Amino acid sequence: QVQLVESGGGLVQAGGSLRLSCVASGRTIRRYTMGWFRQAPGKGRDFVAAIRWSSGSTYYADYVDSVKGRFTISRDGAKNTIDLQMNSLKPEDTAVYYCAADFSGLEYVAGNFGSWGQGTQVTVSS
């Protein structure tokens, strides 16, 4: 199993930026696609962004008030990390953000990822 540790969360004012990082260690098989999810209080765990390790191809959530255009996912092969740069943050971005790995399936939904980090809290004040 892959071990994942997130960092970089915190409190920021609306319009501000944060950069989240996720370090992966342990078994690296099926680390080929990694992603970020978020979970607001009382809600489900929603897909935010994913990246294919080998090609660097990126995918972003396409729901209303999407993060596309504001968030950028990237990877660093030498450090075994994926980052999530979050700009123009809004209060509705407030959530616990989770790093995920061991993707298997066709859709970027929580049930198709087998390994999870402990999460990092992001709070955006208005």
Side-chain angles (χ1 to χ4, degrees), residues 15-90:
S17 299
L18 282 174
R19 188 176 184 89
L20 307 183
S21 290
C22 172
V23 179
S25 61
R27 187 171 65 90
T28 57
I29 293 173
R30 296 176 67 190
R31 191 190 70 199
Y32 302 131
T33 296
M34 294 181 65
W36 286 97
F37 285 73
R38 67 186 184 185
Q39 188 166 15
K43 296 188 177 181
R45 194 166 293 189
D46 293 331
F47 171 69
V48 173
I51 186 166
R52 289 191 179 180
W53 199 267
S54 57
S55 66
S57 298
T58 57
Y59 308 87
Y60 295 91
D62 197 26
Y63 47 74
V64 177
D65 294 333
S66 174
V67 302
K68 195 171 185 178
R70 299 188 295 123
F71 291 8
T72 303
I73 189 171
S74 60
R75 79 212 187 306
D76 185 326
K79 297 180 180 179
N80 278 357
T81 61
I82 63 167
D83 291 345
L84 186 69
Q85 177 67 41
M86 306 186 294
N87 298 327
S88 302
L89 283 163
K90 305 174 182 179

Side-chain angles (χ1 to χ4, degrees), residues 86-108:
M86 306 186 294
N87 298 327
S88 302
L89 283 163
K90 305 174 182 179
E92 50 264 44
D93 293 319
T94 295
V96 177
Y97 283 71
Y98 295 91
C99 178
D102 277 343
F103 173 72
S104 177
L106 298 177
E107 295 181 83
Y108 295 127

